[in-house]
Amino acid sequence: MKTTAIDPKIDLKSIKDCPNSFVMAVNDTMNVLTGKWKLPIMATLIFGKKRFKEIEREIPRITPRMLSKELRELELNGIVKRTVHDTIPVTIEYEFTPSGRSIKNVLDAMVEWGQEHRNTVMNRLSKVNL
Amino acid sequence: MKTTAIDPKIDLKSIKDCPNSFVMAVNDTMNVLTGKWKLPIMATLIFGKKRFKEIEREIPRITPRMLSKELRELELNGIVKRTVHDTIPVTIEYEFTPSGRSIKNVLDAMVEWGQEHRNTVMNRLSKVNL
DNA sequence: TTTCATGCTATACTAAAGTATATCGCTATA
DNA sequence: TATAGCGATATACTTTAGTATAGCATGAAA
């Protein structure tokens, strides 16, 4: 797990009235979600297990390097589980962990805010243009 | 507003069963939250208006360049309102817009998931180390 | 035997994000 | 008059993220 306690990049620690555990939690969540391909990859896993090439085919323009890198990171962060099946040749499947699946709550909150915010901005714009 | 429709960087459009409006909403939200200093800046504004130098002092290691840049971006995105007061010399205050304040719901969801996830990972680790 | 699919990794590169440092016009204070 | 605070901007640089391209070991199909 890549926790923020160790990571000096984002430092909210000294901001008063903001409990440290909250800051760490937000940063952990951000670490899981940021990067160009994390969300697309997670989107492909919503409806169940997928193999490397399946994911690759479903995400236009992703390179195998990035897919490999991001899957490894998601695995390290406990979001995705990688299973090697003892077939010949081996097949490998990726799927959400329970933790990974539950991040949907965060995405839902993001969808809701994003849509409300978009409406707010649109209304503001349309009033300006009367 | 920086909408994702125009931004070709993140492309979930072709992923089946994932409504476009959802994808756009998530990406809009991500655009508001990503970057090293957005969260620290927003944290300083939680309890009300602040001036440039106040924010700068509360965030260790931020440069005026980054603060200026991020505040401008937050303003463009309708998260933060910038008010110029007609004093001598002018004083400038930054505060949340209602939209900006309501992003707290997203942060709350992130805190909740982040803490749960951390516990899950900790439990996993402690079991491994028995 | 050539070709293709799978599940990657290696190397080298470009682009984006962030840092360091200096400066500016204005005003108040010492 | 010198110094400091305010609210920044400019220029140059480094670091991180992402891309392009090639290749490899395995096995199956044509």
Side-chain angles (χ1 to χ4, degrees):
Chain A
M1 186 187 187
K2 194 170 149 198
T3 60
T4 313
I6 320 151
D7 181 355
K9 276 192 302 184
I10 300 167
D11 180 6
L12 286 171
K13 279 198 277 288
S14 50
I15 290 162
K16 57 175 192 257
D17 302 311
C18 198
N20 213 277
S21 59
F22 278 40
V23 172
M24 292 193 300
V26 171
N27 280 322
D28 287 352
T29 310
M30 285 301 287
N31 279 335
V32 168
L33 294 175
T34 55
K36 184 171 170 181
W37 302 108
K38 298 265 174 60
L39 254 36
I41 291 169
M42 290 198 271
T44 66
L45 296 179
I46 286 172
F47 301 103
K49 308 178 183 206
K50 290 266 164 69
R51 295 174 61 181
F52 191 93
K53 284 286 174 185
E54 289 180 285
I55 303 172
E56 195 183 347
R57 274 189 296 265
E58 287 188 33
I59 304 177
R61 284 180 293 288
I62 196 170
T63 59
R65 183 186 194 267
M66 287 312 287
L67 182 53
S68 168
K69 198 169 150 284
E70 299 292 64
L71 281 172
R72 216 179 310 132
E73 217 177 305
L74 288 168
E75 197 196 349
L76 274 171
N77 280 288
I79 308 305
V80 157
K81 195 177 145 220
R82 181 180 189 269
T83 315
V84 182
H85 294 281
D86 205 359
T87 52
I88 296 175
V90 291
T91 49
I92 291 157
E93 282 185 320
Y94 295 91
E95 66 188 308
F96 275 124
T97 61
S99 227
R101 216 170 294 112
S102 72
I103 208 172
K104 197 178 173 305
N105 295 331
V106 175
L107 297 181
D108 287 345
M110 292 176 78
V111 167
E112 205 177 314
W113 183 86
Q115 285 179 339
E116 270 177 33
H117 180 62
R118 184 179 280 259
N119 288 337
T120 307
V121 174
M122 293 309 182
N123 281 335
R124 177 160 43 90
L125 288 179
S126 67
K127 273 171 195 159
V128 167
N129 296 334
L130 279 182
Chain B
M1 186 188 189
K2 194 169 149 201
T3 59
T4 313
I6 320 152
D7 181 355
K9 276 192 302 184
I10 301 166
D11 179 8
L12 288 170
K13 280 198 277 289
S14 50
I15 290 162
K16 57 172 189 260
D17 302 311
C18 197
N20 214 277
S21 59
F22 278 40
V23 172
M24 292 193 299
V26 172
N27 281 322
D28 287 351
T29 309
M30 286 301 286
N31 280 336
V32 168
L33 294 175
T34 55
K36 183 171 171 181
W37 302 108
K38 298 266 173 61
L39 255 35
I41 291 168
M42 290 198 272
T44 67
L45 296 179
I46 286 172
F47 300 103
K49 307 176 185 211
K50 289 266 164 69
R51 296 174 61 182
F52 191 92
K53 285 285 173 183
E54 289 182 284
I55 303 172
E56 195 183 346
R57 275 190 297 266
E58 287 189 32
I59 305 177
R61 283 180 294 287
I62 195 170
T63 60
R65 183 185 194 268
M66 286 313 285
L67 181 53
S68 169
K69 198 170 149 285
E70 299 292 65
L71 281 171
R72 215 180 310 132
E73 216 178 305
L74 288 167
E75 197 196 350
L76 274 171
N77 280 287
I79 308 304
V80 157
K81 194 178 146 219
R82 180 180 188 267
T83 315
V84 181
H85 294 282
D86 204 358
T87 53
I88 295 174
V90 291
T91 49
I92 291 157
E93 283 185 321
Y94 295 91
E95 65 188 308
F96 275 125
T97 61
S99 227
R101 215 170 295 112
S102 72
I103 209 173
K104 195 178 173 306
N105 295 331
V106 176
L107 297 182
D108 287 345
M110 292 176 78
V111 168
E112 205 177 314
W113 183 85
Q115 286 180 337
E116 270 178 33
H117 180 61
R118 184 178 282 259
N119 288 337
T120 307
V121 173
M122 292 308 181
N123 281 337
R124 177 160 43 91
L125 287 179
S126 66
K127 273 171 194 159
V128 167
N129 295 334
L130 281 183

